Amino acid sequence: MALTTVWFALIAVLWCGYFLLEGFDFGVGLLLPVLGRDERERRLLINTIGPVWDGNEVWLLVAGGATFAAFPEWYATLFSGFYLPLLLILVALILRGLAFEYRGKIDSPQWRRRWDAAIIGGSLVPSILWGVAFANIVRGVPLNAQHEYTGTLLTLLNPYALLGGLTTLSLFALHGAVFLALKTDGEIRHRAGALAWRLTAPAVALAAAFLLWTQLTHHDAWGWALSAAAAAALLAAVPAVRARREGWAFVATGATLVLAVAALFVTLFPDVMPTTLAGGASLTVTNASSSPYTLKVMTWVAACFTPVVLGYQSWSYWVFRRRLRVEHIPAAHQ
């Protein structure tokens, strides 16, 4: 197998991991004003992801770095054509990270409310824009013969991309609600489970519409298979959520995100960014890649360090595996 194909697959794996892990982080942030009725409950919700959220973002950093090194032409075109959406995502992620670190620095309800708004907004914006971005990559964008993006921001806000944004938003919210039901105990656990049940219907409807639209447009056999598997995983989550079997529900929603992202990458291959212009030129794994020597060096580096990263992150999840209750959170001055 050519190293270009290997690295395309590895980048797909990194994005699958990012959506799986950061997906429930975003979901917790989205549900903060819904499930957090007082300060102790909001702190409890934040503490469920407190030890792991920054580690989950490593997957995004590695995915971006791998794209830059393995497919520099893809990286350049992507970050120039999608500049404003990606900038908004970056700003949102920075504000969310600052909010986690600073909301408890001053004992003031007004101070905490402002940072809570940053957590909510910092979760909402990426939840929508990641779906919009990936939908446009799969759909294709106007690239000329020099692989330069010739569209505008409105070009990216087409119906298919907006459906993609709503799909990721609904799936992240469901994934986050299931995670909270799995990670907490007591009243919060019951409320999160009930909310997860209410979120299943819109998540199933939006995901089914998006995956069906994608495959009817591209007619890829492997894409159809993975989309069907993603749909089956999401449907399996429904009875698990209903029965309050949080572990199986979390596995099902996680599998849905992984399989859906895999379906998009399989449908995209061998392109990395197709063009919609008649006289344009698509970016492929061949014409967008680095030199064979660069890819070979990257492969050795990845083989050495990937097990270390996976081992450390698995260990951190194991250490912080216990459920949390409101009683574990000391009372704060209001």
Side-chain angles (χ1 to χ4, degrees), residues 29-322:
L30 291 168
L31 301 179
L32 186 65
V34 181
L35 294 175
R37 296 179 178 177
D38 56 36
E39 173 58 20
R40 292 181 74 186
E41 290 185 351
R42 287 190 289 272
R43 287 167 62 195
L44 172 65
L45 298 180
I46 294 171
N47 283 355
T48 61
I49 60 174
V52 297
W53 71 268
D54 48 355
N56 294 341
E57 287 195 346
V58 170
W59 290 77
L60 173 62
L61 298 176
V62 177
T67 303
F68 172 77
F71 300 100
E73 191 83 16
W74 183 15
Y75 183 93
T77 302
L78 179 64
F79 276 78
S80 59
F82 291 44
Y83 179 80
L84 183 56
L86 293 178
L87 177 62
L88 291 175
I89 290 173
L90 179 61
V91 171
L93 293 178
I94 292 173
L95 287 176
R96 189 180 67 124
L98 289 173
F100 287 141
E101 300 294 337
Y102 281 93
R103 79 177 299 275
K105 296 297 184 182
I106 297 178
D107 190 12
S108 164
Q110 185 178 21
W111 171 270
R112 290 191 290 265
R113 281 196 299 270
R114 289 173 178 172
W115 286 117
D116 287 345
I119 293 174
I120 298 164
S123 301
L124 176 65
V125 171
S127 295
I128 296 174
L129 291 184
W130 279 132
V132 171
F134 271 91
N136 275 296
I137 291 173
V138 175
R139 173 181 176 268
V141 292
L143 301 180
N144 61 23
Q146 289 74 41
H147 301 149
E148 296 175 351
Y149 178 76
T150 60
T152 64
L153 176 62
L154 293 179
T155 306
L156 303 177
L157 301 179
N158 54 80
Y160 174 72
L162 294 176
L163 177 59
L166 292 176
T167 300
T168 50
L169 176 65
S170 64
L171 288 177
F172 289 166
L174 174 60
H175 196 41
V178 171
F179 172 79
L180 288 172
L182 177 66
K183 197 68 175 65
T184 61
D185 208 351
E187 180 63 23
I188 287 284
R189 176 185 179 186
H190 294 295
R191 293 209 305 264
L195 179 59
W197 171 246
R198 294 195 295 272
L199 290 172
T200 54
V204 169
L206 289 168
F210 178 71
L211 291 173
L212 185 61
W213 190 343
T214 301
Q215 298 310 321
L216 287 176
T217 303
H218 293 84
H219 305 290
D220 183 88
W222 281 105
W224 271 110
L226 289 170
S227 295
L234 185 55
L235 290 175
V238 176
V241 170
R242 181 65 171 173
R244 302 296 174 88
R245 302 190 65 179
E246 294 99 347
W248 286 112
F250 184 75
V251 169
T253 55
T256 300
L257 289 167
V258 169
L259 290 168
V261 174
L264 294 180
F265 272 89
V266 167
T267 302
L268 183 62
F269 185 81
D271 291 334
V272 294
M273 187 173 285
T275 182
T276 56
L277 295 180
S282 298
L283 283 170
T284 68
V285 293
T286 303
N287 63 22
S289 69
S290 294
S291 67
Y293 180 77
T294 299
L295 296 178
K296 186 180 295 186
V297 172
M298 290 175 60
T299 303
W300 281 108
V301 172
C304 293
F305 288 99
T306 300
V308 176
V309 174
L310 292 177
Y312 173 78
Q313 195 160 25
S314 300
W315 175 80
S316 66
Y317 274 96
W318 175 256
V319 170
F320 297 103
R321 68 189 182 278
R322 297 187 183 278

